[in-house]
Amino acid sequence: MKFADITGHKVTIDSLREAVDTDHIPHAILLGGQEGIGKMRVARAFISYLYCMDRQNGDSCGRCPACLQNSHHNNPDVHFIFPRTGASSKSTDSFLPQWNEFLDRHSYMPKEEWAKAIEAGNTVPVIYRSDAAEISRTAALSSFAYRYKAYVIWMPEKMQPQCANALLKLLEEPFPDTIFILVSNEPDKLLPTIFSRTQRFNMKPLGDAEVAEILIKEGVPYPEAGEIAPLAEGNVIKAFDLTGEGGEIKEFSSLFIQMMRLAYARNVASLRMLSDVIAAMGREKTSRFLVYCARMTRESFIFNLKTDGLNAMTGAEADFNVRFSPFINHRNVERLMTEIQRAHDDVLRNANARLVLFDFMLKIMMLLRK
């Protein structure tokens, strides 16, 4: 991965490049921002530039031994730490084959694909205390081949409390020539003491033109790329999912439409069965479905304004909203959004998803009639 391979994020890239060029590299870097904007791509390009033996024109060469090692994920001085499942006694090394394949196939780092790769099921992947202990052990050793040892921690917000506290000690008293790169989707969930000990880069969502450019490079026809990009909200993962209105977005759209029709018809028995179906998707996917519900509720309310350019919906969503949007109005929209957020938070807090969703649907049933 080279800087030239990355679309967008020029300010962050320029700062990281300058840090290497001037030999003023922070011992802890936090790349924060929403999922699907290419934070790990920037981290990997930075690693390549840091270790490259023949930097040219502000980028890594892609040919030297260090660049080849990084491209094949076998640089002995670069360590990746990531959420996983299973007993804490298992090391991240047990998951390296899946991890390396994931990096190659999904460089924008979709969480759900990683969960599938490690067969997480309904288990939420976490970073264990044992991972911090392994970092501490290896960081105390001399580097194998290069000046720096680098630890790239993906989704540090998934650290267990004991792990986060152990990492904090390492950041407070860093070993010489050891660099930590935290790649976070939710930096606000990090310990404030960890957050304050990093040089932070708040990476913004990609622009519509940048998302379209990425889609076109991947073979999506120009007209389709231009239509999809505004719907993606700067998230490349979402953009690819929207391609052809396939994948998770299509599934969520179907579930949302079914839920709203049953709620309006006050079909309690069918709503109960639907809540079971959605809960069976697992906690992480259920939470994503509720985020989708929030977006569609917002889009439905805006649809009533009849102003071109304000809505960002697929064709199927827009067709449904022609008839549905009048039921989302100033009398109920705030309550609906509140109930969606409450259900989302309860699911993430490990509440019984079936009960949470059924209660949520009953409240929708009442609110749609307001």
Side-chain angles (χ1 to χ4, degrees), residues 173-193:
E173 300 177 2
F175 292 98
D177 297 329
T178 297
I179 300 170
F180 292 93
I181 305 168
L182 282 61
V183 182
S184 176
N185 294 338
E186 300 175 289
D188 57 312
K189 291 187 176 180
L190 293 173
L191 285 178
T193 42

Side-chain angles (χ1 to χ4, degrees), residues 4 27 43 47 71 88 92 120 129 159 188 233 267 311 316 321 323 331:
H27 77 278
I47 289 291
S71 66
S88 61
T92 53
R129 169 67 180 86
M159 291 187 292
D188 57 312
E233 301 175 317
N267 190 332
N311 278 113
N321 262 304
R323 297 178 298 278
R331 295 185 298 274

Side-chain angles (χ1 to χ4, degrees), residues 105-178:
R105 295 185 60 188
H106 304 287
S107 63
Y108 286 92
M109 313 301 285
K111 298 190 299 292
E112 65 275 12
E113 292 298 332
W114 175 239
K116 290 178 185 177
I118 60 175
E119 300 179 349
N122 291 332
T123 304
V124 178
V126 298
I127 300 176
Y128 292 94
R129 169 67 180 86
S130 58
D131 295 318
E134 181 64 13
I135 293 174
S136 181
R137 184 188 70 80
T138 56
L141 303 174
S142 299
S143 59
F144 282 92
Y146 302 101
R147 173 183 171 184
Y148 294 103
K149 294 190 295 294
Y151 294 88
V152 183
I153 305 177
W154 181 49
M155 293 206 295
E157 60 270 20
K158 298 295 185 181
M159 291 187 292
Q160 291 181 323
Q162 305 95 319
C163 178
N165 289 322
L167 178 64
L168 175 60
K169 293 180 180 179
L170 293 172
L171 297 182
E172 289 175 332
E173 300 177 2
F175 292 98
D177 297 329
T178 297

Side-chain angles (χ1 to χ4, degrees), residues 198-332:
T198 62
Q199 180 165 329
R200 298 173 294 280
F201 295 89
N202 183 23
M203 297 174 62
K204 304 296 184 182
L206 296 168
D208 292 348
E210 292 169 332
V211 173
E213 178 185 338
I214 293 167
L215 292 174
I216 292 169
K217 286 180 179 177
E218 294 297 323
V220 178
Y222 175 78
E224 184 179 351
E227 292 174 0
I228 288 173
L231 305 179
E233 301 175 317
N235 184 332
V236 176
I237 298 170
K238 187 175 180 180
F240 280 117
D241 197 37
L242 284 164
T243 302
E245 296 186 23
E248 196 170 80
I249 295 294
K250 184 177 181 180
E251 179 185 6
F252 286 171
S253 176
S254 176
L255 289 170
F256 179 82
I257 292 171
Q258 183 181 0
M259 180 178 69
M260 290 303 179
R261 285 174 173 165
L262 291 174
Y264 183 77
R266 301 201 169 196
N267 190 332
V268 175
S270 295
L271 284 173
R272 179 56 189 267
M273 289 188 288
L274 182 61
S275 67
D276 290 345
V277 169
I278 296 172
M281 298 189 305
R283 187 175 299 110
E284 291 283 335
K285 190 171 182 178
T286 298
S287 70
R288 294 196 300 276
F289 169 70
L290 289 166
V291 170
Y292 176 85
C293 290
R295 182 179 77 82
M296 280 304 299
T297 300
R298 182 176 65 251
E299 295 294 341
S300 298
F301 181 70
I302 295 173
F303 194 85
N304 290 310
L305 301 177
K306 308 299 182 185
T307 302
D308 292 340
L310 289 183
N311 278 113
M313 295 184 290
T314 67
E317 291 169 346
D319 290 343
F320 174 66
N321 262 304
V322 170
R323 297 178 298 278
F324 174 69
S325 61
F327 298 100
I328 307 296
N329 50 61
H330 67 279
R331 295 185 298 274
N332 61 12

Side-chain angles (χ1 to χ4, degrees), residues 17-63:
R17 182 189 290 118
E18 182 181 5
V20 175
D21 292 344
T22 61
D23 200 24
H24 287 88
I25 304 170
H27 77 278
I29 295 168
L30 172 60
L31 302 178
Q34 73 175 44
E35 183 184 32
I37 62 175
K39 300 184 299 297
M40 182 60 80
R41 290 172 65 88
V42 171
R44 291 170 60 190
F46 170 66
I47 289 291
S48 294
Y49 191 64
L50 175 67
Y51 286 94
C52 181
M53 300 173 176
D54 187 24
R55 300 177 195 127
Q56 300 174 357
N57 301 318
D59 211 341
S60 51
C61 70
R63 300 182 303 273

